[in-house]
Amino acid sequence: QVQLVESGGGLVHAGQSLRLSCAVSGGTLNYYSIGWFRQAPGKEREKVSCTYSSDDTPIYADSVKDRFNISRDNAENTVYLQMSSLKPEDTAIYYCATVERCSVEGVDSWGQGTQVTVSS
């Protein structure tokens, strides 16, 4: 059973950057498609970005396009989410997950999440 552990969350001011990490164990990252999702208080969990094992073209939600960048280091079994120009509305718990398709419904396994708080 693959396990995912997120790290890198924290409290930042609007306009600043953060890099989240998703460490994958119990499997080889090469074979997995990985997604980042987030859930803000009182809102449904939503897709942020995905990277597929068989495709170099990442997927981004419109709300984060041009500000966030997803990357994967297969040698380190880690997926990163570089977040720039952060906004208060980016405040949420961020989860990484193995996915069959880039949607909440397409998730196979979830990590435990990491909190990101952006102050105005």
Side-chain angles (χ1 to χ4, degrees):
Q1 179 83 15
V2 67
Q3 293 184 327
L4 307 102
V5 178
E6 303 92 336
S7 61
L11 171 64
V12 296
H13 294 294
Q16 292 185 327
S17 300
L18 272 178
R19 189 178 77 161
L20 305 183
S21 300
C22 174
V24 178
S25 61
T28 304
L29 179 58
N30 300 54
Y31 302 124
Y32 291 97
S33 298
I34 302 292
W36 283 99
F37 300 82
R38 67 186 182 185
Q39 188 164 19
K43 294 189 176 181
E44 294 185 350
R45 196 168 297 190
E46 64 177 4
K47 170 188 74 181
V48 175
S49 181
C50 294
T51 172
Y52 288 112
S53 60
S54 59
D55 188 341
D56 289 336
T57 305
I59 292 175
Y60 296 98
D62 289 342
S63 59
V64 306
K65 206 170 292 184
D66 300 325
R67 298 190 298 122
F68 289 12
N69 183 69
I70 191 170
S71 62
R72 59 195 295 153
D73 185 336
N74 288 334
E76 295 295 325
N77 261 20
T78 302
V79 175
Y80 301 99
L81 184 69
Q82 178 67 48
M83 307 185 294
S84 303
S85 302
L86 282 162
K87 304 175 181 180
E89 50 264 43
D90 294 317
T91 295
I93 300 174
Y94 283 71
Y95 302 88
C96 66
T98 57
V99 298
E100 293 188 7
R101 60 186 187 278
C102 197
S103 67
V104 172
E105 295 77 15
V107 168
D108 288 326
S109 297
W110 292 100
Q112 85 289 350
T114 185
Q115 176 71 49
V116 172
T117 303
V118 184
S119 64
S120 57

